[in-house]
Amino acid sequence: MKKLLPLLLVLSGAAPGEAPPFEVPENYTIELVAGPPLVERPIMACFDEQGRLYVADSAGVNLKGSDLIKDPPHRIRVLEDTDGDGRFDTSKVWADKLVFPQGLLWHQGALYCTSPPSFWKLEDTDGDGVCDKRTELITGLANTGVADDAHGACLGPDGRIYFLPGRMAHNLHTPDGKFAKKATGPWLMRCKPDGSEMEIVCGCQGNPVEVDWLPSGDYFISGTFWAPDSYGGGLRDALIHGVDGGEYAVRDRVYTDRKRTGDFLPVMVPMIATAPAGMMIAKSDAMGVKGNLFCTYFNTHKVQRHVLERDGATFRSRNEEFVQSKNPDFHPTDVLEDADGSLLVVDTGGWFRIGCPTSQIAKPQVLGGIYRIRRKNAARVADPRGLKADWTRPAALLGDARWMVRERAIREAAKLGAIADLPATPEGLWTRTRIETPDARASLRGFLSDKDATLRQIACISAGLVRDPAAVGGLIDRLKEDPPQVKREAANALGRIGDRKAVLPLLEAVRAGGDRFLEHALIYALIRIADRDDLLGALKDPNAGIRRAALIALDQMDGGNLTPDLVTPLLDPIDSALQQAALKVIASHPGWSNELFGLVREWLAEPLLDEARQELLKGVLVSFSRDPAMQDQMAQALRTDKTSAPQRLLVLEAMTRALPERSPSTWLGEARWSLDAADERVVRQAVALIRAAGCGDFDDVLLRLARDDMRSAELRVETLLAAAPRLAKLDGALYRFLVGCMDKDKAPLLRLSAAEAVGKLPLDDAQLNQLSAVVAVAGPLEMPRLIGVYERSKSAAVAKKLLGAVASAPGFTSLPAETLRKVFKGYPDEVRREAEPVVKRLEVDTAAMKEKLDSLASVLEHGDAKAGREIFLGRKAGCTACHTVAGQGGKVGPDLSKIGSIRAGRDLLEAIVFPSATFARGFEPFLIRSKDGVIYDGLITRETPDAIYLFTSERLEKRIPRSIIDVLQQSKVSVMPQGLDQQISLDDLRDLIAFLVSLR
């Protein structure tokens, strides 16, 4: 049961805005323990052994990385509770001039911090309370100014320091030159406290934020940008169970430099754009939540409790609300455990806006704070940090009830290195792990056969960490009858050690079966060991699972040297998983297309493939689209009468998606004959291919289709769009048809397409004068696509008529000022002077934006969600032209199926009224200029090593080779039209917002 608690203000400084009310479980309390002026916009925090709290405190600016590094504005403060009442009362700046600190860890007298372009070790060497020594442990982190660059640091139970570079392009190198990597993240990385033994542990979600561990050594990572759009359901973010070498999906990224063991590993908690941030696993039982994972959620203004439960070699989570606030400016970014077991929640306030799907009117004046959550009637913990304890025998404190005492005992006992004093507990084994002497390793090997599965698991992890060759025999034994999590860590250790005698036992473990996480560990170990001879023999094993594992390992390992003759026999359809793995291997090798012809021909001959094989076949066709023989086979599939309509559609879609720089003549020839198909879906896809290719050879056929009033309006408009760049004149009948397609009673996508066509066609001055009547009533959906047609005229009369029409049109505010200024650029000076005041009306400043939103505040209440649904799905607002709800609508913009759970009503209002002020993460518009001056704009749908794929305003996916790109930059103009609030009534707007808020 939840209880609404008014916030008790206990600090004399200014409160973080208006103190937000919270909902917490009934047997817990929450209070503010630090706010302004002690901290203003806290981001992340950590404690030292004395109980001082180090806080990364933002300056409240949203700048690009290149501007941040010129004059780094952020700082780290140190807060103290001098009277022991649980509330902080002093604050000072401990380190200043930081680019963007997003993670803090105090360890052994130093503060570790990620702040681009480096991962830092910060020290106060003279004890004056101010950092005076900064050491770069690694540099070359991306510095974009966005939170995706890097996070960390976190301390693993193994004594290593972990940090998390995000999904940006990094050029990493350590000062000693022993580690270097130039590639695109994300990764979980680790090193020793002095920066040595730097390595990548695994992949993770696109913007990983924090990692924490269970006593068993299992670790979990919070973060955003996991799911690509193809996963559906509005999914984006996730909590993951991390495993060594694991690879997970990353939104908007396609990687070819990762070792893959098959499909991406599944995530533990998939979610929509909630923006999971800082997290922790409770180590004390003072709150009754020991072993539970707590995670902050920036977008949903809450902290959740995740009860972790073993599920084979991985975990599942039971999710519960823990802290909630209805205040849209409460943005929790970190949660940490104090020595007494209470939890601190860090609220960064309203300053951060870069790419977050909340208000883009930055609110640096809305300050944050730090809150403490306690369990009611919890017993007071005496000396929670052990400051009064006897530290001459730290091993005796490894079982202490106080968690911070146990943590310190591990560090102190490891320094002493007295193995005989250490208990047979997780703390005792982690202490041995940190000692790293021969005696410690021998002691750990003894636990490989311990009766306690947790101790066996830790012993496996430790043997792998130090690559102990003497542990191989014991690790092989663990592959046999142990629980799956122990087998997983035994396999990982054997892979790190690299002893070839482990290959056959690993293959036998594959034969025994297991879930995806265990399968990953076994195959990843085979990849690391890289014993080609034994794996070649395994390709002939009667067990299909072993053949598949050997195939994947040979393909991914160094020196696998696979050849087509080794893979082709595995295309046997008896085992679909093996066949699909073989198909993916072949598809990843240019020049192997001959091995696929028979299977491709066989699949294309089927009337209809299941969804999985459709996607696989489409991927194969795209992968080999530059192979002349495969190009011919694709053309042949369209040429034969036996190919079914669904298969023709599949081939045409693959051709359109993979279109090379120089379009194959056979493809275009078959696309021409596909224009005569009986199935309109095939005809429309053929038109899309011809349009994407910019082919003008069939304009007569396209125009014939456009004039055929027996065809659908959608097809007729699409044919005109395909022919538009080459037409010298548009006849009256077609002009009237297009104008009719923009009527308000037409479907939104048809109106949009018709406006695009008109905007690209060669209208004469008479037609432009007639079009002014259409402009005068054009809404925000049509206006930006329509207006460009006027750039081709020089007539002052046409310009003046346009000016009168556009200034009062419902869609006027959907035009960026520079777009309208460009329209009038070619007209006489007197017209430009007359137009300038109208253009300036579009240059809205932040204060005016806020004033406009305040004037519309009444629409945030008393709306009818049911009526709002009809508005969303209807033709007037046109929302479904770009957005999906519950599977209905387009996919240009974000899926809004659960938008109400991550955005407040005012944020939704802002997104509607000022769409170019708000870009949902992953849907930022980009502008690309090629080396020969061609401009492309749209949304980046995916990236590959050789190309960027842009979804353009014409709703086409355009492949742009990286080799021709001169400039790539984020655009300031959203693809969502501005001015919807003027297109519909206030009552309709009220109902629409009520509907969106209801989507949870």
Side-chain angles (χ1 to χ4, degrees):
M1 179 177 179
K2 301 289 182 182
K3 181 177 180 182
L4 185 67
L5 296 177
L7 186 68
L8 173 64
L9 293 182
V10 296
L11 196 69
S12 59
E18 182 180 343
F22 294 99
E23 290 182 29
V24 297
E26 190 170 12
N27 55 334
Y28 292 89
T29 64
I30 183 169
E31 66 174 349
L32 179 70
V33 295
L38 300 185
V39 289
E40 295 182 344
R41 305 170 192 89
I43 306 171
M44 309 291 275
C46 71
F47 283 104
D48 69 7
E49 294 93 340
Q50 303 300 314
R52 292 179 290 241
L53 186 68
Y54 292 80
V55 182
D57 199 21
S58 167
V61 296
N62 290 272
L63 300 173
K64 295 179 180 179
S66 56
D67 294 323
L68 285 171
I69 207 164
K70 292 175 185 175
D71 186 17
H74 304 303
R75 56 199 170 260
I76 295 172
R77 292 181 177 271
V78 59
L79 278 60
E80 291 192 64
D81 169 16
T82 59
D83 56 10
D85 66 353
R87 303 162 190 157
F88 298 95
D89 43 50
T90 70
S91 172
K92 68 183 294 186
V93 175
W94 190 81
D96 62 0
K97 294 191 176 301
L98 293 161
V99 172
F100 200 166
Q102 293 195 93
L104 299 177
L105 167 69
W106 183 270
H107 182 59
Q108 295 180 344
L111 189 68
Y112 293 83
C113 173
T114 299
S115 180
S118 300
F119 179 52
W120 301 89
K121 181 178 182 180
L122 308 176
E123 299 172 87
D124 169 15
T125 61
D126 57 10
D128 66 351
V130 177
C131 172
D132 52 33
K133 182 179 180 182
R134 304 187 183 201
T135 305
E136 290 177 310
L137 301 184
I138 192 169
T139 192
L141 292 167
N143 178 31
T144 67
V146 179
D148 299 22
D149 289 337
H151 290 86
C154 307
L155 178 67
D158 53 13
R160 266 44 172 191
I161 312 294
Y162 289 72
F163 62 104
L164 301 124
R167 60 175 190 151
M168 302 302 185
H170 305 277
N171 187 9
L172 301 175
H173 51 94
T174 53
D176 60 10
K178 293 182 179 180
F179 179 93
K181 188 172 184 67
K182 184 176 183 180
T184 299
W187 307 287
L188 174 66
M189 297 184 64
R190 70 181 169 207
C191 62
K192 286 188 171 182
D194 62 0
S196 63
E197 297 189 21
M198 186 73 66
E199 65 178 326
I200 291 173
V201 180
C202 65
C204 33
Q205 61 275 72
N207 176 26
V209 179
E210 199 155 18
V211 58
D212 204 357
W213 289 259
L214 288 172
S216 60
D218 291 286
Y219 54 93
F220 305 84
I221 303 172
S222 59
T224 66
F225 292 103
W226 155 64
D229 278 341
S230 60
Y231 283 23
L235 292 173
R236 194 194 73 170
D237 303 338
L239 294 180
I240 66 172
H241 173 212
V243 290
D244 286 29
E247 290 296 337
Y248 306 79
V250 177
R251 191 180 186 92
D252 302 334
R253 299 289 189 270
V254 177
Y255 299 94
T256 59
D257 61 342
R258 308 289 179 101
K259 301 294 186 185
R260 293 280 299 276
T261 62
D263 293 336
F264 288 122
L265 292 178
V267 302
M268 184 177 72
V269 183
M271 59 190 81
I272 58 172
T274 55
M279 53 83 76
M280 50 142 282
I281 294 174
K283 297 172 178 60
S284 164
D285 205 29
M287 300 262 288
V289 293
K290 186 176 181 179
N292 292 175
L293 186 156
F294 289 84
C295 186
T296 57
Y297 291 91
F298 183 98
N299 287 346
T300 50
H301 323 292
K302 66 175 62 173
V303 180
Q304 280 195 322
R305 173 188 178 191
H306 299 274
V307 182
L308 304 175
E309 301 170 348
R310 284 208 177 271
D311 184 15
T314 184
F315 286 80
R316 58 179 174 266
S317 170
R318 179 160 45 85
N319 311 319
E320 301 175 0
E321 306 295 353
F322 194 70
V323 179
Q324 300 178 80
S325 176
K326 294 182 179 179
N327 187 322
D329 293 321
F330 173 69
H331 292 296
T333 51
D334 201 9
V335 57
L336 59 155
E337 190 174 19
D338 204 344
D340 63 356
S342 63
L343 302 186
L344 296 188
V345 175
V346 175
D347 166 29
T348 200
W351 71 276
F352 187 68
R353 66 170 178 79
I354 298 179
C356 285
T358 50
S359 175
Q360 297 301 287
I361 299 177
K363 303 173 184 177
Q365 77 281 3
V366 178
L367 303 180
I370 300 174
Y371 302 87
R372 187 184 299 275
I373 304 169
R374 298 183 188 273
R375 193 176 187 178
K376 289 182 180 177
N377 303 317
R380 183 177 180 84
V381 180
D383 189 23
R385 291 179 171 78
L387 300 180
K388 301 175 182 178
D390 178 8
W391 288 102
T392 60
R393 296 180 61 249
L397 297 171
L398 287 170
D400 197 278
R402 298 163 293 181
W403 77 271
M404 275 199 182
V405 173
R406 296 196 303 271
E407 295 284 309
R408 180 176 174 186
I410 292 174
R411 295 193 297 272
E412 298 298 330
K415 292 178 186 176
L416 291 179
I419 307 299
D421 296 338
L422 301 177
T425 63
E427 291 83 6
L429 266 67
W430 289 122
T431 304
R432 290 172 173 87
T433 302
R434 298 189 193 189
I435 294 174
E436 292 192 14
T437 62
D439 287 346
R441 294 180 185 183
S443 177
L444 284 165
R445 288 196 294 273
F447 287 97
L448 288 172
S449 56
D450 194 272
K451 63 181 180 180
D452 187 310
T454 297
L455 299 188
R456 296 199 301 275
Q457 181 178 345
I458 297 172
C460 290
I461 295 171
S462 300
L465 181 69
V466 299
R467 295 182 170 89
D468 181 6
V472 169
L475 292 168
I476 289 174
D477 289 341
R478 299 282 63 78
L479 294 176
K480 298 171 184 175
E481 301 296 333
D482 267 68
Q485 70 271 18
V486 178
K487 290 183 180 180
R488 185 195 73 220
E489 292 304 335
N492 180 59
L494 289 166
R496 284 181 64 86
I497 295 167
D499 192 319
R500 294 187 174 188
K501 65 173 172 277
V503 171
L504 295 181
L506 287 164
L507 289 169
E508 286 305 308
V510 171
R511 190 189 307 276
D515 62 20
R516 178 69 185 100
F517 278 75
L518 178 55
E519 175 195 69
H520 159 78
L522 295 168
I523 296 177
Y524 191 60
L526 293 171
I527 292 170
R528 280 175 152 174
I529 297 171
D531 181 357
R532 185 172 188 268
D533 292 340
D534 277 343
L535 291 176
L536 287 177
L539 288 179
K540 300 175 183 178
D541 193 281
N543 182 285
I546 288 184
R547 297 201 302 276
R548 177 177 171 273
L551 170 66
I552 294 172
L554 283 163
D555 179 58
Q556 294 291 302
M557 74 189 203
D558 298 331
N561 299 326
L562 271 179
T563 54
D565 60 293
L566 293 172
V567 182
T568 304
L570 305 178
L571 291 171
D572 190 325
I574 292 176
D575 187 277
S576 61
L578 175 58
Q579 182 191 52
Q580 291 188 20
L583 195 54
K584 289 177 181 178
V585 168
I586 293 172
S588 67
H589 288 77
W592 284 22
S593 59
N594 288 340
E595 311 305 317
L596 290 173
F597 287 152
L599 184 61
V600 169
R601 190 179 301 111
E602 176 186 325
W603 282 13
L604 287 174
E606 295 187 31
L608 182 65
L609 299 175
D610 59 71
E611 186 174 346
R613 287 197 296 163
Q614 283 183 38
E615 290 305 310
L616 190 55
L617 177 56
K618 197 183 299 182
V620 168
L621 297 179
V622 170
S623 296
F624 288 97
S625 59
R626 282 159 182 74
D627 185 300
M630 186 61 78
Q631 291 175 357
D632 289 344
Q633 186 165 13
M634 294 167 73
Q636 178 63 34
L638 296 178
R639 192 173 303 132
T640 178
D641 295 337
K642 295 180 180 179
T643 304
S644 67
Q647 302 291 60
R648 290 178 185 275
L649 190 61
L650 184 151
V651 172
L652 286 165
E653 287 176 355
M655 288 177 170
T656 305
R657 179 173 168 182
L659 198 64
E661 290 72 53
R662 185 164 185 163
S663 308
S665 59
T666 52
W667 286 12
L668 296 176
E670 295 308 322
R672 156 62 190 92
W673 296 115
S674 295
L675 296 176
D676 297 334
D679 191 312
E680 183 170 298
R681 295 174 302 165
V682 173
V683 179
R684 292 178 69 176
Q685 191 59 51
V687 172
L689 173 57
I690 292 169
R691 181 183 174 195
C695 176
D697 295 343
F698 314 122
D699 285 353
D700 55 338
V701 184
L702 294 173
L703 291 173
R704 173 168 56 79
L705 289 169
R707 294 188 177 99
D708 186 352
D709 57 13
M710 298 300 291
R711 301 281 187 167
S712 71
E714 286 79 6
L715 172 59
R716 296 174 66 191
V717 171
E718 287 164 12
T719 58
L720 282 171
L721 273 167
R726 295 167 300 278
L727 292 184
K729 185 177 181 181
L730 184 68
D731 65 51
L734 288 176
Y735 170 77
R736 290 188 294 274
F737 161 70
L738 288 172
V739 169
C741 288
M742 288 186 284
D743 287 346
K744 297 305 176 189
D745 62 344
K746 302 297 184 184
L749 279 177
L750 178 60
R751 286 163 29 211
L752 185 61
S753 295
E756 288 173 1
V758 171
K760 295 177 181 302
L761 286 164
L763 304 189
D764 58 32
D765 285 351
Q767 289 170 324
L768 289 173
N769 278 324
Q770 294 173 28
L771 189 64
S772 295
V774 177
V775 172
V777 296
L781 194 66
E782 303 90 356
M783 182 67 82
R785 277 84 178 174
L786 195 62
I787 198 72
V789 71
Y790 284 92
E791 293 181 29
R792 304 185 188 102
S793 175
K794 306 298 180 188
S795 167
V798 167
K800 290 184 178 182
K801 193 161 187 178
L802 168 65
L803 189 59
V806 74
S808 58
F812 171 66
T813 56
S814 68
L815 293 172
E818 287 308 310
T819 296
L820 191 58
R821 190 172 279 120
K822 183 182 176 185
V823 167
F824 288 104
K825 183 177 180 180
Y827 289 99
D829 290 346
E830 61 174 292
V831 173
R832 293 205 305 276
R833 285 193 295 270
E834 190 176 342
E836 191 57 26
V838 176
V839 172
K840 284 189 175 296
R841 285 168 48 193
L842 296 170
E843 296 175 344
V844 183
D845 61 22
T846 300
M849 290 170 65
K850 186 177 185 303
E851 183 178 347
K852 175 70 178 288
L853 292 174
D854 290 343
S855 72
L856 293 171
S858 63
V859 304
L860 300 178
E861 298 178 336
H862 311 303
D864 183 339
K866 186 175 180 181
R869 180 180 184 276
E870 298 305 313
I871 295 166
F872 183 90
L873 298 175
R875 295 178 175 180
K876 185 189 295 185
C879 303
T880 53
C882 297
H883 295 287
T884 296
V885 165
Q888 292 182 264
K891 297 187 180 297
V892 177
D895 187 317
L896 303 182
S897 298
K898 296 184 179 180
I899 190 66
S901 64
I902 61 171
R903 298 193 72 170
R906 186 177 176 92
D907 295 337
L908 292 166
L909 176 64
E910 181 186 327
I912 292 170
V913 178
F914 300 112
S916 290
T918 303
F919 297 142
R921 296 293 301 275
F923 291 90
E924 301 92 341
F926 281 84
L927 183 144
I928 294 177
R929 186 180 71 206
S930 68
K931 292 177 180 176
D932 56 2
V934 179
I935 302 294
Y936 307 92
D937 63 347
L939 306 177
I940 293 178
T941 57
R942 56 197 173 99
E943 296 184 44
T944 62
D946 61 341
I948 288 176
Y949 291 80
L950 207 64
F951 192 86
T952 68
S953 58
E954 293 85 7
R955 300 190 308 286
L956 292 173
E957 187 178 67
K958 179 71 177 177
R959 180 183 184 275
I960 305 173
R962 292 183 183 272
S963 59
I964 72 166
I965 294 175
D966 183 39
V967 175
L968 170 63
Q969 64 186 42
Q970 187 171 321
S971 172
K972 297 179 180 179
V973 181
S974 172
V975 296
M976 178 175 168
Q978 186 164 310
L980 178 61
D981 58 303
Q982 299 182 29
Q983 177 78 1
I984 60 178
S985 69
L986 286 179
D987 286 339
D988 286 348
L989 183 59
R990 179 180 292 107
D991 293 342
L992 176 60
I993 290 176
F995 169 64
L996 294 173
V997 170
S998 74
L999 297 174
R1000 296 179 180 272

